[in-house]
Amino acid sequence: MFDIALLLAAAFVAGALNAVAGGGSFLTLPALVFTGVPPVVANATGTVALLPGYLAGAWGFREDWQSPPGLTMRGIVLWSLVGGAAGAALLLLTPDSTFRLIVPWLLLAATLLFALGPRIRRWTAGAHGASPLKAAFGVLAVSAYGGYFNGGLGILLLALFALLGQTQLHAMNGMKNLVSALLTAIAVAIYAAGGLVQWPQALMMMFAATAGGYGGARLARRMRPEWLRAGIVLVGLAMAALFFWKA
């Protein structure tokens, strides 16, 4: 009973965090591992649980979909799916023992990425675009990262679109949500085909994350943004430290 309560609570708060600032996977992955789910399966299962939030976010920003300079919408869709599939396939090939060693470093890197997110966006604000080949490679690489490990994905995508020369924040957010939904959807399909998903936990957490994305975000939005970001960073650092200790 405690395990169920923990997973529901983690998914609910993760859904709210993803709707407001990101960082939901900092909670879902450790919660699943804590309840006895192997790390690779926990990573896949937690991603499945957060998929509806990505889909809803992408649809909510549909009027703002605008491809960055150097890429067409067709190219964005193609490279997002190819990258997400590649990352998911790599996860299928990663033994639990190896992933257990990698996870704390991924969590730490994603937490630092999240903490530096505003500065990264300022550093990339003056970018003047990239060639179509470099733009395609950028989307492919970030999507592969997202298909393998979801933490910090939103910050990476926003930084990438700024580097590609996109300046409208709504358009950047729209593309961030679209690419996240696409790569996560194809990754989830591959996880499922590879038998990585524990469906009872995934479905239960999916409903909780969806509820959190709607109701919890309304409460979280009343908090000062810097407090919310600091809280997420503290959670990420604590989870990374816990995994380093258990590794």
Side-chain angles (χ1 to χ4, degrees):
M1 196 65 177
F2 173 78
D3 287 358
I4 293 175
L6 175 64
L7 294 178
L8 289 174
F12 182 88
V13 178
L17 291 179
N18 277 350
V20 177
S25 56
F26 294 155
L27 295 174
T28 54
L29 174 61
L32 284 160
V33 172
F34 183 82
T35 58
V37 180
V40 170
V41 176
N43 187 52
T45 302
T47 302
V48 173
L50 298 176
L51 176 59
Y54 288 125
L55 295 174
W59 184 248
F61 274 97
R62 63 191 181 280
E63 291 90 356
D64 300 301
W65 292 350
Q66 179 183 329
S67 59
L71 284 172
T72 63
M73 286 299 294
R74 184 177 298 179
I76 284 281
V77 172
L78 172 64
W79 297 119
S80 299
L81 292 174
V82 171
L90 180 61
L91 184 66
L92 285 177
L93 299 174
T94 305
D96 269 311
S97 57
T98 301
F99 193 71
R100 189 179 292 275
L101 294 175
I102 295 173
V103 161
W105 294 103
L106 289 173
L107 281 171
L108 181 60
T111 302
L112 295 176
L113 187 66
F114 185 86
L116 294 173
R119 292 188 181 183
I120 291 173
R121 288 197 290 273
R122 286 197 295 271
W123 294 337
T124 56
H128 299 292
S131 68
L133 181 61
K134 290 180 179 178
F137 178 78
V139 174
L140 179 68
V142 174
S143 297
Y145 168 85
Y148 186 80
F149 184 74
N150 219 249
L153 175 62
I155 295 297
L156 274 175
L157 285 170
L158 287 175
L160 172 65
F161 294 137
L163 283 171
L164 296 181
Q166 207 161 27
T167 57
Q168 296 296 323
L169 184 59
H170 285 315
M172 292 166 66
N173 269 320
M175 295 311 299
K176 178 201 75 172
N177 281 280
L178 177 61
V179 171
S180 296
L182 288 169
L183 73 89
T184 303
I186 190 67
V188 163
I190 293 173
Y191 297 158
L196 285 186
V197 181
Q198 290 200 358
W199 288 105
Q201 290 93 326
L203 294 174
M204 176 176 61
M205 295 175 74
M206 189 181 292
F207 284 109
T210 303
Y214 178 76
R218 295 180 67 85
L219 177 62
R221 287 177 67 88
R222 298 177 185 175
M223 297 175 60
R224 294 177 61 177
E226 59 269 27
W227 291 1
L228 183 61
R229 179 171 292 275
I232 295 171
V233 170
L234 286 175
V235 169
L237 291 174
M239 294 301 102
L242 179 63
F243 275 90
F244 273 119
W245 179 66
K246 295 183 66 175

